[in-house]
Amino acid sequence: MTPIAVLGNGRVGGNLAAALTRAGHEVTVADRAPGAAADAARRARIVINATPGAGSLERLVALREELRGKILVDVSNATTDGPDGLPADLIHPGSSLAERLQEALPETHVVKTLNTMLFPVMTAPDTLTQPPTAFLSGEDPQAKQTVRELLTDLGWHKEWITDLGGIRTARATEAAILFVPHVIRTTGFTPFAISIAR
C-alpha cells in the first residue's frame, strides 16, 4: 500500500483518487483549504498533480520542500481556453509544463503520464473499443517504473504503456491536447485517447 496524495479534487483528481483507493493504496485528496496540499504532499510517497495546468507551476513550486525526494506524477495540460471553454493553445510552446516543473523542482522526480486522453479513460482503459496508449516521460528510470506499476493498478495493460524517454518528450504529449477540442466538437465528450497503432 503506497501513500499517495492527489492535488486537485475535480473530475480528474476525484476519479484517480477513487480508483487508486479501490486498488488498495492509501490516498489523500488535498482540497483548497490552506495548507491542505502541503500536508498531503508531506505524508505521501507519490504526489499526483491533477490541478488545472494553467496554475500548476506556481502551486507546485510553493511545495518545493514537501516534494523533495518524492515522485510527482503530472497529468495536467497547461493551456489557455477558447470562448467555448475548450483548450485553445499551449501556455508553454516549445517546452512543457512537465519540463518547467522538473527545472523548478530538481530534487523531485517528475513523471508525465495520462494527459493524452479524456479523464474517464485514465482509470478505465479497457472500456475503449481499441487499446489506448499511456505515455511516460521522465528523467528517473525508477520513478517511471513506479508509475508504470501504478498504471497497471489502474487497469493499464503493460503493452499499452510506452516510455518515451526523458522529460523533454513531454512536450510532444502535452501538444496532443490540441487534438482534443476538435475531436470533442466533432464527436462530443465520448471517452477517447491518443493511441499508437502497431
Side-chain angles (χ1 to χ4, degrees), residues 71-75 98 110-117 133-152 154 156-158 160-174 196:
I71 296 172
L72 176 61
V73 182
D74 179 32
V75 304
V110 179
V111 179
K112 190 82 181 190
T113 193
L114 296 180
N115 63 309
T116 55
M117 61 201 69
T133 304
F135 300 100
L136 295 173
S137 299
E139 296 300 320
D140 185 87
Q142 186 54 54
K144 285 193 286 187
Q145 179 58 34
T146 298
V147 175
R148 184 186 293 271
E149 292 165 6
L150 209 61
L151 292 177
T152 61
L154 292 173
W156 287 86
H157 298 231
K158 291 180 180 179
W160 296 355
I161 303 170
T162 297
D163 185 345
L164 293 178
I167 201 67
R168 194 174 188 272
T169 64
R171 65 181 61 180
T173 60
E174 289 191 26
I196 301 297

Short mmCIF file of all heavy atoms in Angstrom, two decimals, residues 71-75 98 110-117 133-152 154 156-158 160-174 196:
data_model
loop_
_atom_site.label_atom_id
_atom_site.label_comp_id
_atom_site.label_asym_id
_atom_site.label_seq_id
_atom_site.Cartn_x
_atom_site.Cartn_y
_atom_site.Cartn_z
N ILE A 71 8.04 11.37 -5.87
CA ILE A 71 7.66 11.21 -7.28
C ILE A 71 6.45 12.11 -7.51
O ILE A 71 5.44 12.01 -6.80
CB ILE A 71 7.31 9.75 -7.61
CG1 ILE A 71 8.55 8.87 -7.45
CG2 ILE A 71 6.76 9.64 -9.03
CD1 ILE A 71 8.26 7.38 -7.58
N LEU A 72 6.55 13.00 -8.49
CA LEU A 72 5.45 13.88 -8.86
C LEU A 72 4.90 13.41 -10.20
O LEU A 72 5.56 13.53 -11.23
CB LEU A 72 5.92 15.33 -8.95
CG LEU A 72 4.88 16.35 -9.41
CD1 LEU A 72 3.69 16.41 -8.46
CD2 LEU A 72 5.51 17.73 -9.57
N VAL A 73 3.70 12.85 -10.18
CA VAL A 73 3.04 12.39 -11.40
C VAL A 73 2.19 13.54 -11.93
O VAL A 73 1.20 13.94 -11.29
CB VAL A 73 2.16 11.15 -11.12
CG1 VAL A 73 1.53 10.65 -12.42
CG2 VAL A 73 2.98 10.05 -10.46
N ASP A 74 2.57 14.07 -13.06
CA ASP A 74 1.88 15.22 -13.63
C ASP A 74 0.94 14.75 -14.74
O ASP A 74 1.39 14.25 -15.77
CB ASP A 74 2.90 16.21 -14.18
CG ASP A 74 2.25 17.43 -14.80
OD1 ASP A 74 1.17 17.83 -14.33
OD2 ASP A 74 2.83 17.98 -15.76
N VAL A 75 -0.36 14.92 -14.53
CA VAL A 75 -1.35 14.51 -15.54
C VAL A 75 -2.03 15.72 -16.18
O VAL A 75 -2.98 15.56 -16.95
CB VAL A 75 -2.42 13.55 -14.94
CG1 VAL A 75 -1.76 12.33 -14.30
CG2 VAL A 75 -3.31 14.26 -13.92
N ALA A 98 5.59 19.86 -17.73
CA ALA A 98 6.42 18.87 -17.03
C ALA A 98 7.89 19.30 -17.00
O ALA A 98 8.56 19.16 -15.98
CB ALA A 98 6.28 17.51 -17.70
N VAL A 110 9.86 14.08 -11.54
CA VAL A 110 8.64 14.37 -12.28
C VAL A 110 8.44 13.32 -13.36
O VAL A 110 9.36 13.01 -14.13
CB VAL A 110 8.70 15.78 -12.92
CG1 VAL A 110 7.42 16.06 -13.72
CG2 VAL A 110 8.91 16.85 -11.84
N VAL A 111 7.24 12.76 -13.42
CA VAL A 111 6.87 11.81 -14.46
C VAL A 111 5.57 12.28 -15.08
O VAL A 111 4.57 12.48 -14.38
CB VAL A 111 6.69 10.38 -13.91
CG1 VAL A 111 6.28 9.42 -15.04
CG2 VAL A 111 7.97 9.89 -13.24
N LYS A 112 5.58 12.48 -16.39
CA LYS A 112 4.37 12.89 -17.11
C LYS A 112 3.66 11.66 -17.65
O LYS A 112 4.29 10.77 -18.24
CB LYS A 112 4.76 13.80 -18.28
CG LYS A 112 3.57 14.46 -18.96
CD LYS A 112 3.17 15.68 -18.17
CE LYS A 112 1.96 16.39 -18.77
NZ LYS A 112 1.76 17.69 -18.12
N THR A 113 2.35 11.61 -17.45
CA THR A 113 1.57 10.49 -17.99
C THR A 113 0.08 10.83 -17.96
O THR A 113 -0.34 11.81 -17.32
CB THR A 113 1.84 9.19 -17.20
OG1 THR A 113 1.30 8.08 -17.93
CG2 THR A 113 1.22 9.23 -15.81
N LEU A 114 -0.73 10.04 -18.65
CA LEU A 114 -2.20 10.10 -18.62
C LEU A 114 -2.78 11.44 -19.09
O LEU A 114 -3.94 11.73 -18.82
CB LEU A 114 -2.74 9.79 -17.21
CG LEU A 114 -2.49 8.39 -16.66
CD1 LEU A 114 -3.08 8.26 -15.26
CD2 LEU A 114 -3.06 7.31 -17.58
N ASN A 115 -2.01 12.22 -19.83
CA ASN A 115 -2.50 13.53 -20.26
C ASN A 115 -2.95 13.55 -21.71
O ASN A 115 -3.22 14.62 -22.26
CB ASN A 115 -1.41 14.60 -20.06
CG ASN A 115 -0.18 14.34 -20.89
OD1 ASN A 115 0.36 13.24 -20.86
ND2 ASN A 115 0.28 15.34 -21.62
N THR A 116 -3.06 12.37 -22.34
CA THR A 116 -3.44 12.31 -23.75
C THR A 116 -4.78 11.61 -23.94
O THR A 116 -4.99 10.89 -24.93
CB THR A 116 -2.35 11.58 -24.56
OG1 THR A 116 -2.12 10.29 -23.97
CG2 THR A 116 -1.05 12.36 -24.57
N MET A 117 -5.69 11.81 -23.00
CA MET A 117 -6.99 11.12 -23.04
C MET A 117 -8.01 11.91 -22.24
O MET A 117 -7.65 12.75 -21.41
CB MET A 117 -6.84 9.72 -22.44
CG MET A 117 -6.39 9.73 -20.99
SD MET A 117 -5.65 8.17 -20.44
CE MET A 117 -4.10 8.15 -21.36
N THR A 133 -3.04 4.19 -25.48
CA THR A 133 -1.64 4.23 -25.07
C THR A 133 -1.48 5.21 -23.92
O THR A 133 -2.00 6.33 -23.97
CB THR A 133 -0.73 4.66 -26.23
OG1 THR A 133 -0.93 3.79 -27.35
CG2 THR A 133 0.74 4.62 -25.82
N ALA A 134 -0.77 4.79 -22.88
CA ALA A 134 -0.36 5.69 -21.80
C ALA A 134 1.14 5.93 -21.97
O ALA A 134 1.92 4.99 -22.00
CB ALA A 134 -0.65 5.09 -20.43
N PHE A 135 1.52 7.19 -22.11
CA PHE A 135 2.92 7.54 -22.33
C PHE A 135 3.57 7.93 -21.01
O PHE A 135 2.93 8.48 -20.12
CB PHE A 135 3.03 8.70 -23.31
CG PHE A 135 2.43 8.41 -24.66
CD1 PHE A 135 1.16 8.86 -24.99
CD2 PHE A 135 3.14 7.67 -25.60
CE1 PHE A 135 0.60 8.60 -26.23
CE2 PHE A 135 2.59 7.38 -26.85
CZ PHE A 135 1.31 7.85 -27.16
N LEU A 136 4.87 7.64 -20.91
CA LEU A 136 5.66 8.05 -19.75
C LEU A 136 6.80 8.94 -20.22
O LEU A 136 7.50 8.59 -21.18
CB LEU A 136 6.26 6.83 -19.04
CG LEU A 136 5.31 5.84 -18.37
CD1 LEU A 136 6.11 4.63 -17.88
CD2 LEU A 136 4.57 6.48 -17.22
N SER A 137 7.01 10.07 -19.54
CA SER A 137 8.16 10.94 -19.79
C SER A 137 8.77 11.28 -18.43
O SER A 137 8.05 11.66 -17.51
CB SER A 137 7.74 12.24 -20.49
OG SER A 137 7.15 11.99 -21.74
N GLY A 138 10.09 11.15 -18.31
CA GLY A 138 10.73 11.48 -17.05
C GLY A 138 12.20 11.11 -17.07
O GLY A 138 12.64 10.28 -17.88
N GLU A 139 12.95 11.71 -16.17
CA GLU A 139 14.40 11.51 -16.14
C GLU A 139 14.82 10.31 -15.30
O GLU A 139 15.89 9.74 -15.53
CB GLU A 139 15.08 12.77 -15.59
CG GLU A 139 14.90 14.00 -16.45
CD GLU A 139 15.47 13.82 -17.85
OE1 GLU A 139 16.55 13.21 -17.98
OE2 GLU A 139 14.83 14.27 -18.81
N ASP A 140 14.02 9.92 -14.32
CA ASP A 140 14.44 8.89 -13.37
C ASP A 140 13.80 7.54 -13.72
O ASP A 140 12.58 7.39 -13.63
CB ASP A 140 14.06 9.31 -11.95
CG ASP A 140 14.59 8.34 -10.92
OD1 ASP A 140 15.74 8.51 -10.48
OD2 ASP A 140 13.86 7.39 -10.55
N PRO A 141 14.61 6.54 -14.11
CA PRO A 141 14.04 5.25 -14.50
C PRO A 141 13.24 4.57 -13.40
O PRO A 141 12.20 3.96 -13.66
CB PRO A 141 15.28 4.42 -14.87
CG PRO A 141 16.34 5.41 -15.20
CD PRO A 141 16.08 6.57 -14.29
N GLN A 142 13.70 4.66 -12.14
CA GLN A 142 12.98 4.01 -11.05
C GLN A 142 11.64 4.69 -10.80
O GLN A 142 10.63 4.02 -10.52
CB GLN A 142 13.82 4.02 -9.77
CG GLN A 142 13.18 3.22 -8.64
CD GLN A 142 12.85 1.79 -9.03
OE1 GLN A 142 13.70 1.06 -9.51
NE2 GLN A 142 11.60 1.38 -8.85
N ALA A 143 11.62 6.01 -10.91
CA ALA A 143 10.35 6.73 -10.75
C ALA A 143 9.37 6.32 -11.83
O ALA A 143 8.18 6.09 -11.56
CB ALA A 143 10.59 8.23 -10.77
N LYS A 144 9.86 6.18 -13.06
CA LYS A 144 8.98 5.76 -14.15
C LYS A 144 8.49 4.33 -13.94
O LYS A 144 7.33 4.02 -14.25
CB LYS A 144 9.68 5.91 -15.50
CG LYS A 144 9.77 7.36 -15.96
CD LYS A 144 10.18 7.48 -17.41
CE LYS A 144 11.64 7.19 -17.61
NZ LYS A 144 12.06 7.49 -19.00
N GLN A 145 9.34 3.47 -13.40
CA GLN A 145 8.91 2.11 -13.12
C GLN A 145 7.82 2.09 -12.06
O GLN A 145 6.84 1.34 -12.17
CB GLN A 145 10.10 1.25 -12.68
CG GLN A 145 9.75 -0.19 -12.34
CD GLN A 145 9.09 -0.94 -13.48
OE1 GLN A 145 9.39 -0.70 -14.66
NE2 GLN A 145 8.17 -1.84 -13.16
N THR A 146 7.96 2.92 -11.04
CA THR A 146 6.94 3.01 -10.00
C THR A 146 5.62 3.49 -10.59
O THR A 146 4.54 2.96 -10.27
CB THR A 146 7.40 3.97 -8.89
OG1 THR A 146 8.59 3.45 -8.29
CG2 THR A 146 6.33 4.12 -7.82
N VAL A 147 5.69 4.48 -11.48
CA VAL A 147 4.46 4.99 -12.11
C VAL A 147 3.87 3.94 -13.05
O VAL A 147 2.64 3.79 -13.13
CB VAL A 147 4.75 6.31 -12.85
CG1 VAL A 147 3.51 6.78 -13.62
CG2 VAL A 147 5.19 7.38 -11.86
N ARG A 148 4.72 3.20 -13.72
CA ARG A 148 4.23 2.11 -14.58
C ARG A 148 3.42 1.10 -13.76
O ARG A 148 2.34 0.65 -14.17
CB ARG A 148 5.43 1.41 -15.25
CG ARG A 148 5.07 0.33 -16.24
CD ARG A 148 6.33 -0.38 -16.72
NE ARG A 148 7.17 0.49 -17.52
CZ ARG A 148 7.06 0.63 -18.84
NH1 ARG A 148 6.15 -0.06 -19.49
NH2 ARG A 148 7.87 1.43 -19.50
N GLU A 149 3.91 0.76 -12.57
CA GLU A 149 3.18 -0.17 -11.69
C GLU A 149 1.87 0.44 -11.22
O GLU A 149 0.85 -0.25 -11.09
CB GLU A 149 4.07 -0.52 -10.50
CG GLU A 149 5.28 -1.37 -10.90
CD GLU A 149 6.35 -1.43 -9.83
OE1 GLU A 149 6.12 -0.90 -8.71
OE2 GLU A 149 7.43 -1.99 -10.09
N LEU A 150 1.87 1.75 -10.99
CA LEU A 150 0.65 2.44 -10.60
C LEU A 150 -0.39 2.38 -11.72
O LEU A 150 -1.59 2.17 -11.47
CB LEU A 150 0.97 3.89 -10.26
CG LEU A 150 0.10 4.61 -9.23
CD1 LEU A 150 0.16 3.93 -7.88
CD2 LEU A 150 0.53 6.07 -9.12
N LEU A 151 0.08 2.53 -12.95
CA LEU A 151 -0.83 2.46 -14.09
C LEU A 151 -1.45 1.06 -14.22
O LEU A 151 -2.64 0.94 -14.55
CB LEU A 151 -0.09 2.82 -15.39
CG LEU A 151 0.35 4.28 -15.53
CD1 LEU A 151 1.12 4.47 -16.83
CD2 LEU A 151 -0.82 5.24 -15.45
N THR A 152 -0.66 0.02 -13.95
CA THR A 152 -1.24 -1.31 -14.02
C THR A 152 -2.32 -1.48 -12.95
O THR A 152 -3.32 -2.18 -13.17
CB THR A 152 -0.17 -2.42 -13.89
OG1 THR A 152 0.49 -2.31 -12.63
CG2 THR A 152 0.86 -2.30 -15.01
N LEU A 154 -4.33 0.73 -12.19
CA LEU A 154 -5.49 1.44 -12.73
C LEU A 154 -6.11 0.72 -13.93
O LEU A 154 -7.06 1.23 -14.54
CB LEU A 154 -5.10 2.87 -13.15
CG LEU A 154 -4.73 3.82 -12.02
CD1 LEU A 154 -4.20 5.13 -12.59
CD2 LEU A 154 -5.92 4.08 -11.10
N TRP A 156 -4.24 -0.53 -16.67
CA TRP A 156 -3.48 -0.44 -17.91
C TRP A 156 -2.66 -1.70 -18.14
O TRP A 156 -1.90 -2.12 -17.27
CB TRP A 156 -2.56 0.79 -17.88
CG TRP A 156 -3.33 2.06 -18.03
CD1 TRP A 156 -3.94 2.77 -17.03
CD2 TRP A 156 -3.62 2.73 -19.25
NE1 TRP A 156 -4.58 3.85 -17.56
CE2 TRP A 156 -4.41 3.86 -18.92
CE3 TRP A 156 -3.28 2.51 -20.59
CZ2 TRP A 156 -4.86 4.75 -19.89
CZ3 TRP A 156 -3.74 3.38 -21.55
CH2 TRP A 156 -4.51 4.48 -21.20
N HIS A 157 -2.82 -2.31 -19.30
CA HIS A 157 -2.01 -3.47 -19.67
C HIS A 157 -0.58 -3.00 -19.92
O HIS A 157 -0.36 -1.92 -20.46
CB HIS A 157 -2.57 -4.14 -20.93
CG HIS A 157 -3.97 -4.66 -20.76
ND1 HIS A 157 -4.32 -5.95 -21.09
CD2 HIS A 157 -5.10 -4.08 -20.28
CE1 HIS A 157 -5.60 -6.13 -20.82
NE2 HIS A 157 -6.10 -5.02 -20.34
N LYS A 158 0.38 -3.83 -19.57
CA LYS A 158 1.78 -3.43 -19.72
C LYS A 158 2.13 -3.04 -21.15
O LYS A 158 2.90 -2.11 -21.39
CB LYS A 158 2.70 -4.56 -19.24
CG LYS A 158 2.63 -4.78 -17.74
CD LYS A 158 3.55 -5.90 -17.29
CE LYS A 158 3.46 -6.10 -15.77
NZ LYS A 158 4.32 -7.21 -15.30
N TRP A 160 0.35 -1.58 -23.22
CA TRP A 160 -0.28 -0.30 -23.59
C TRP A 160 0.50 0.90 -23.06
O TRP A 160 0.13 2.04 -23.31
CB TRP A 160 -1.71 -0.23 -23.05
CG TRP A 160 -2.65 -1.24 -23.63
CD1 TRP A 160 -2.40 -2.15 -24.63
CD2 TRP A 160 -4.00 -1.47 -23.23
NE1 TRP A 160 -3.51 -2.91 -24.86
CE2 TRP A 160 -4.51 -2.52 -24.03
CE3 TRP A 160 -4.83 -0.88 -22.28
CZ2 TRP A 160 -5.82 -2.98 -23.90
CZ3 TRP A 160 -6.13 -1.33 -22.14
CH2 TRP A 160 -6.62 -2.38 -22.96
N ILE A 161 1.56 0.65 -22.31
CA ILE A 161 2.34 1.73 -21.68
C ILE A 161 3.64 1.91 -22.47
O ILE A 161 4.40 0.95 -22.63
CB ILE A 161 2.64 1.40 -20.21
CG1 ILE A 161 1.33 1.16 -19.44
CG2 ILE A 161 3.45 2.53 -19.57
CD1 ILE A 161 1.54 0.60 -18.04
N THR A 162 3.89 3.12 -22.94
CA THR A 162 5.07 3.41 -23.75
C THR A 162 5.93 4.47 -23.07
O THR A 162 5.46 5.59 -22.80
CB THR A 162 4.66 3.91 -25.15
OG1 THR A 162 3.93 2.88 -25.83
CG2 THR A 162 5.88 4.29 -25.98
N ASP A 163 7.17 4.10 -22.77
CA ASP A 163 8.13 5.03 -22.19
C ASP A 163 8.79 5.80 -23.33
O ASP A 163 9.52 5.22 -24.13
CB ASP A 163 9.17 4.24 -21.38
CG ASP A 163 10.16 5.14 -20.64
OD1 ASP A 163 10.22 6.35 -20.95
OD2 ASP A 163 10.85 4.63 -19.75
N LEU A 164 8.54 7.10 -23.39
CA LEU A 164 9.08 7.92 -24.48
C LEU A 164 10.50 8.39 -24.22
O LEU A 164 11.18 8.85 -25.13
CB LEU A 164 8.18 9.14 -24.70
CG LEU A 164 6.77 8.87 -25.23
CD1 LEU A 164 6.00 10.18 -25.36
CD2 LEU A 164 6.81 8.14 -26.56
N GLY A 165 10.94 8.35 -22.95
CA GLY A 165 12.29 8.81 -22.64
C GLY A 165 12.26 9.92 -21.60
O GLY A 165 11.43 9.92 -20.69
N GLY A 166 13.17 10.87 -21.75
CA GLY A 166 13.34 11.93 -20.77
C GLY A 166 12.17 12.90 -20.71
O GLY A 166 11.23 12.85 -21.51
N ILE A 167 12.25 13.83 -19.76
CA ILE A 167 11.13 14.75 -19.51
C ILE A 167 10.87 15.65 -20.71
O ILE A 167 9.75 16.13 -20.91
CB ILE A 167 11.40 15.58 -18.23
CG1 ILE A 167 10.09 16.14 -17.66
CG2 ILE A 167 12.44 16.66 -18.47
CD1 ILE A 167 9.13 15.11 -17.13
N ARG A 168 11.88 15.87 -21.55
CA ARG A 168 11.69 16.72 -22.73
C ARG A 168 10.64 16.15 -23.67
O ARG A 168 9.99 16.90 -24.42
CB ARG A 168 13.03 16.89 -23.45
CG ARG A 168 13.05 18.00 -24.48
CD ARG A 168 14.47 18.19 -25.04
NE ARG A 168 14.56 19.36 -25.89
CZ ARG A 168 14.31 19.35 -27.19
NH1 ARG A 168 13.96 18.22 -27.79
NH2 ARG A 168 14.42 20.47 -27.91
N THR A 169 10.44 14.83 -23.64
CA THR A 169 9.44 14.22 -24.52
C THR A 169 8.02 14.59 -24.13
O THR A 169 7.09 14.39 -24.91
CB THR A 169 9.58 12.68 -24.54
OG1 THR A 169 9.30 12.16 -23.23
CG2 THR A 169 10.98 12.26 -24.96
N ALA A 170 7.85 15.16 -22.93
CA ALA A 170 6.50 15.56 -22.50
C ALA A 170 5.94 16.67 -23.36
O ALA A 170 4.71 16.84 -23.44
CB ALA A 170 6.53 16.00 -21.04
N ARG A 171 6.82 17.43 -24.04
CA ARG A 171 6.28 18.49 -24.89
C ARG A 171 5.47 17.91 -26.05
O ARG A 171 4.53 18.55 -26.54
CB ARG A 171 7.39 19.41 -25.40
CG ARG A 171 8.40 18.79 -26.31
CD ARG A 171 9.48 19.78 -26.73
NE ARG A 171 10.24 20.27 -25.58
CZ ARG A 171 11.24 21.15 -25.68
NH1 ARG A 171 11.57 21.64 -26.87
NH2 ARG A 171 11.89 21.55 -24.61
N ALA A 172 5.80 16.68 -26.46
CA ALA A 172 5.03 16.04 -27.53
C ALA A 172 3.66 15.60 -27.03
O ALA A 172 2.64 15.84 -27.68
CB ALA A 172 5.80 14.84 -28.08
N THR A 173 3.61 14.96 -25.86
CA THR A 173 2.30 14.50 -25.37
C THR A 173 1.44 15.68 -24.93
O THR A 173 0.22 15.65 -25.09
CB THR A 173 2.45 13.49 -24.22
OG1 THR A 173 3.14 14.08 -23.12
CG2 THR A 173 3.21 12.26 -24.68
N GLU A 174 2.06 16.71 -24.37
CA GLU A 174 1.26 17.88 -23.98
C GLU A 174 0.67 18.58 -25.21
O GLU A 174 -0.44 19.11 -25.15
CB GLU A 174 2.08 18.85 -23.14
CG GLU A 174 2.38 18.31 -21.75
CD GLU A 174 2.97 19.34 -20.80
OE1 GLU A 174 2.72 20.55 -20.99
OE2 GLU A 174 3.68 18.93 -19.86
N ILE A 196 -1.02 4.69 -30.15
CA ILE A 196 -0.06 4.31 -31.17
C ILE A 196 -0.47 2.94 -31.69
O ILE A 196 -0.50 1.96 -30.94
CB ILE A 196 1.36 4.23 -30.60
CG1 ILE A 196 1.79 5.58 -30.02
CG2 ILE A 196 2.35 3.76 -31.66
CD1 ILE A 196 1.85 6.71 -31.03
#
